[in-house]
Amino acid sequence: MRKPIVTAEEAVSHIQDGQTVAIGGSGSGHSIAEQLLAALGRRFRQTGAPRGLTLVHPFGVGNQKDQGLEHLADPALLAE
């Protein structure tokens, strides 16, 4: 059975408002799903959706500048 291969944009199009998203990887921007996070951030900035996400991540994901969770740094994108 073949697994489907989709673009990052198509993958994040399935994330709906209020859902919980688990993100793996490691600190300092190593081994993270950079393309998916970037696509999710772009989708939100272009469409305003999804909103109110809950993020679950075991430790810092990104470089605290322009990679990883920095793509999602918008209060409307994340739940309080």
Side-chain angles (χ1 to χ4, degrees):
M1 180 175 185
R2 288 188 145 176
K3 294 182 181 181
I5 298 174
V6 299
T7 66
E9 287 74 16
E10 185 177 351
V12 302
S13 73
H14 297 283
I15 300 172
Q16 299 174 12
D17 291 352
Q19 289 188 318
T20 298
V21 178
I23 300 170
S26 65
S28 302
H30 301 287
S31 302
I32 59 174
E34 178 66 15
Q35 297 301 314
L36 289 172
L37 293 171
L40 182 55
R42 274 192 307 275
R43 177 181 168 212
F44 176 76
R45 287 188 300 280
Q46 292 171 355
T47 69
R51 301 178 74 79
L53 298 180
T54 298
L55 297 183
V56 177
H57 54 94
F59 39 85
V61 178
N63 64 358
Q64 298 180 4
K65 186 173 56 172
D66 60 0
Q67 291 181 334
L69 295 179
E70 300 303 323
H71 295 291
L72 311 183
D74 188 299
L77 175 61
L78 304 176
E80 291 186 34

